[in-house]
Amino acid sequence: INFFAALNSSDGSLIPAFNPNPNNVTNSIVVSADDNTVYAAGNFTSIGGAARNAVAALNATNGSAVAGFNANILTNTASTLALSPDGTALYVGGSFITVNSGGTVSRDRAASFNATTGALLGFDPNLDSTVTHVAVSGTNVFVSGAFEFSGAGTIYNRLVAVNPDGTLVTGFNPNIPNTVAALAVSPDGSTLYVGGAFTTVNGGTWQAHLVALNTTTGLPTAFNAGINSNVGALTMSPAGIQRAAV
């Protein structure tokens, strides 16, 4: 078993039937709502018994590559994945700058693909540095990374909200001055939890390492966890209970 395995959730034992065997690191995975497909992003060029560059769709039972899906990211790494709420679009972030979907197409650090066919979609925020995380809530696609995004004469640091067509959601600007390492959206879609190395947001509001933002305005909510070290991972339970790794 290389780089990617499936484990039994009750006892941690290996599920040997699932063996996609990528030839390099897998950085992110996401599972379709029907549990039939596992999407993987990473540094690989081969996975599931097929040539796949950086992104693949896999059969959830045996790990074989889904024949009809080939996003084919040509340059560098795919670091993060997220599915749209309806499961039709797969959002991908990383350090890549081109994809090959019926011809080489520029996509700077973020792109979206049809989740069934792998066809490139119109999402193209055109970011100037590596994307580390993507999260989706309704029609908003939240993208974090090392970038400094300029839109309508305003600077957007480390975290932006983007429409599915790639245009900027200008009303959302939490202005985070340091690394964003994790994103998680509440089940009702109203709150975006953000973890990282920052100590302030929104131009100076003290909110160390973990902040909850209104997904419409980007403003901090009353949530204050009082964390004194960097947050590296976040997840939400279906009931809306947040868990953080520091």
Side-chain angles (χ1 to χ4, degrees), residues 122-171:
F123 180 78
D124 183 17
N126 190 29
L127 300 166
D128 63 8
S129 193
T130 299
V131 168
T132 55
H133 292 85
V134 178
V136 185
S137 174
T139 59
N140 282 354
V141 183
F142 299 100
V143 182
S144 68
F147 52 81
E148 187 178 86
F149 187 98
S150 179
T154 301
I155 298 298
Y156 295 78
N157 285 316
R158 306 299 198 293
L159 177 61
V160 293
V162 187
N163 292 305
D165 64 0
T167 57
L168 183 69
V169 179
T170 56

Side-chain angles (χ1 to χ4, degrees), residues 176-202:
I176 298 177
N178 208 333
T179 302
V180 172
L183 300 176
V185 180
S186 63
D188 66 1
S190 67
T191 306
L192 177 69
Y193 294 92
V194 183
F198 54 87
T199 56
T200 63
V201 299
N202 197 34

Side-chain angles (χ1 to χ4, degrees), residues 44 78 243:
F44 51 79
R243 292 171 173 86

Side-chain angles (χ1 to χ4, degrees), residues 57-71:
L58 306 171
N59 181 293
T61 301
N62 60 24
S64 62
V66 175
F69 182 98
N70 190 0

Side-chain angles (χ1 to χ4, degrees), residues 37-244:
T37 306
V38 178
Y39 298 92
N43 300 18
F44 51 79
T45 57
S46 174
I47 188 172
R52 293 290 188 271
N53 291 317
V55 175
L58 306 171
N59 181 293
T61 301
N62 60 24
S64 62
V66 175
F69 182 98
N70 190 0
N72 199 17
I73 290 177
L74 296 178
T75 50
N76 297 317
T77 298
S79 301
T80 182
L81 298 173
L83 281 166
S84 61
D86 64 4
T88 62
L90 179 70
Y91 294 93
V92 184
S95 57
F96 57 86
I97 56 173
T98 56
V99 302
N100 187 351
S101 181
T104 302
V105 180
S106 174
R107 283 292 187 272
D108 287 330
R109 286 91 184 184
S112 69
F113 301 89
N114 182 291
T116 302
T117 67
L120 184 66
L121 302 177
F123 180 78
D124 183 17
N126 190 29
L127 300 166
D128 63 8
S129 193
T130 299
V131 168
T132 55
H133 292 85
V134 178
V136 185
S137 174
T139 59
N140 282 354
V141 183
F142 299 100
V143 182
S144 68
F147 52 81
E148 187 178 86
F149 187 98
S150 179
T154 301
I155 298 298
Y156 295 78
N157 285 316
R158 306 299 198 293
L159 177 61
V160 293
V162 187
N163 292 305
D165 64 0
T167 57
L168 183 69
V169 179
T170 56
F172 181 93
N173 187 9
N175 191 21
I176 298 177
N178 208 333
T179 302
V180 172
L183 300 176
V185 180
S186 63
D188 66 1
S190 67
T191 306
L192 177 69
Y193 294 92
V194 183
F198 54 87
T199 56
T200 63
V201 299
N202 197 34
T205 302
W206 180 263
Q207 196 80 53
H209 309 297
L210 179 60
V211 64
L213 303 173
N214 181 290
T215 52
T216 301
T217 66
L219 295 175
T221 71
F223 175 90
N224 189 348
I227 291 176
N228 62 2
S229 184
N230 295 349
V231 171
L234 292 170
T235 189
M236 295 290 300
S237 75
I241 299 171
Q242 185 193 81
R243 292 171 173 86

